[in-house]
Amino acid sequence: MNAHLKFLALAISILSLAAARAEDIFWGKDLTLKGEPLGEALDLATLEGKPFIIYWGCINCGRCAVQVDDFARMARNLEKKGVPVIAVQSTDVSDEAVNAHIKKHRLKVPYYPTNNRVSLLTSNPGLHPLFHGIPRYIIFNEDGKMAGYYGNATNARRAVEKMIK
C-alpha cells in the first residue's frame, strides 16, 4: 500500500474515532476480550456493574517498560478499591515471555497475550485509533461505557479515583 493510501486510511480511522464519542462506546457491544488470560484468572461477568481499566501495552515497548512500575502500583491500589485492571499484550510475543514479565514485575492482573490470536475484539472501526500508540489505559465506568483513555498510569488512576468517589 502506498503512502497516500496509508495516510487516507489513518485519516478515515481518526475521523471515525471523532464520530464515536466515549459515551457511545460500550463494553460487550463495541469491545470484548477473547481467550484465557495468563497470570490471574478473570471471569468477564464480574466486570458488570463496576468500573475497570483495560491496559493495552507491550512487554517489548520502551514507553511501556518505563511505566511498568507505575502500572503495577496502580493495579494494586485500584484492586484494593474493587476496580479490576486487565492487561492486553498488543504484539505477538510468546506466552513464556509474557509469564516472565508478569513474574518479574509481580503483576497481579489478568494478562491477555496476542500470540496470533485476537484478544481484544472490536466491532466498531472507530475504535481502532485507540490502539495506535502504546501504552493505553482505557477506562470503563460501572455502566460499561468508555469513560476515557490515557497514555500513562498516573492519569488513568486519577480518572478512576475521581469516578469512584
Side-chain angles (χ1 to χ4, degrees), residues 141-163:
N141 69 17
E142 65 277 354
D143 297 324
K145 293 180 183 180
M146 189 176 88
Y149 60 97
Y150 301 88
N152 66 62
T154 302
N155 290 341
R157 179 187 48 77
R158 287 178 183 153
V160 169
E161 287 176 345
K162 191 186 272 188
M163 186 185 337

Side-chain angles (χ1 to χ4, degrees), residues 17 22 25-27 30-33 47 50-57 71 74 78 83-88 90 120-122 127-141 144-153 155-157 159-160 163:
L17 180 61
I25 298 170
F26 288 87
W27 180 256
D30 297 302
L31 283 173
T32 191
L33 287 164
L47 299 177
K50 65 172 87 170
F52 63 94
I53 294 180
I54 299 282
Y55 165 78
W56 176 256
F71 166 66
M74 176 201 71
L78 291 178
V83 178
V85 177
I86 303 156
V88 179
S90 68
L120 191 60
L121 302 177
T122 175
L127 297 180
H128 292 231
L130 278 179
F131 307 109
H132 289 234
I134 50 177
R136 286 278 185 257
Y137 298 83
I138 306 163
I139 299 172
F140 290 88
N141 69 17
K145 293 180 183 180
M146 189 176 88
Y149 60 97
Y150 301 88
N152 66 62
N155 290 341
R157 179 187 48 77
V160 169
M163 186 185 337

Side-chain angles (χ1 to χ4, degrees), residues 53-127:
I53 294 180
I54 299 282
Y55 165 78
W56 176 256
C58 174
I59 64 172
N60 298 327
C61 161
R63 285 191 51 184
C64 301
V66 167
Q67 293 187 31
V68 72
D69 291 332
D70 289 341
F71 166 66
R73 190 171 26 262
M74 176 201 71
R76 284 190 300 273
N77 289 338
L78 291 178
E79 188 64 38
K80 290 176 189 172
K81 297 175 182 183
V83 178
V85 177
I86 303 156
V88 179
Q89 172 66 24
S90 68
T91 59
D92 190 13
V93 297
S94 70
D95 286 359
E96 293 78 21
V98 173
N99 279 324
H101 179 76
I102 290 169
K103 184 177 180 180
K104 177 180 178 182
H105 298 288
R106 299 184 311 275
L107 297 173
K108 301 288 186 197
V109 300
Y111 212 114
Y112 283 80
T114 300
N115 298 341
N116 296 315
R117 57 191 185 268
V118 177
S119 294
L120 191 60
L121 302 177
T122 175
S123 60
N124 183 338
L127 297 180

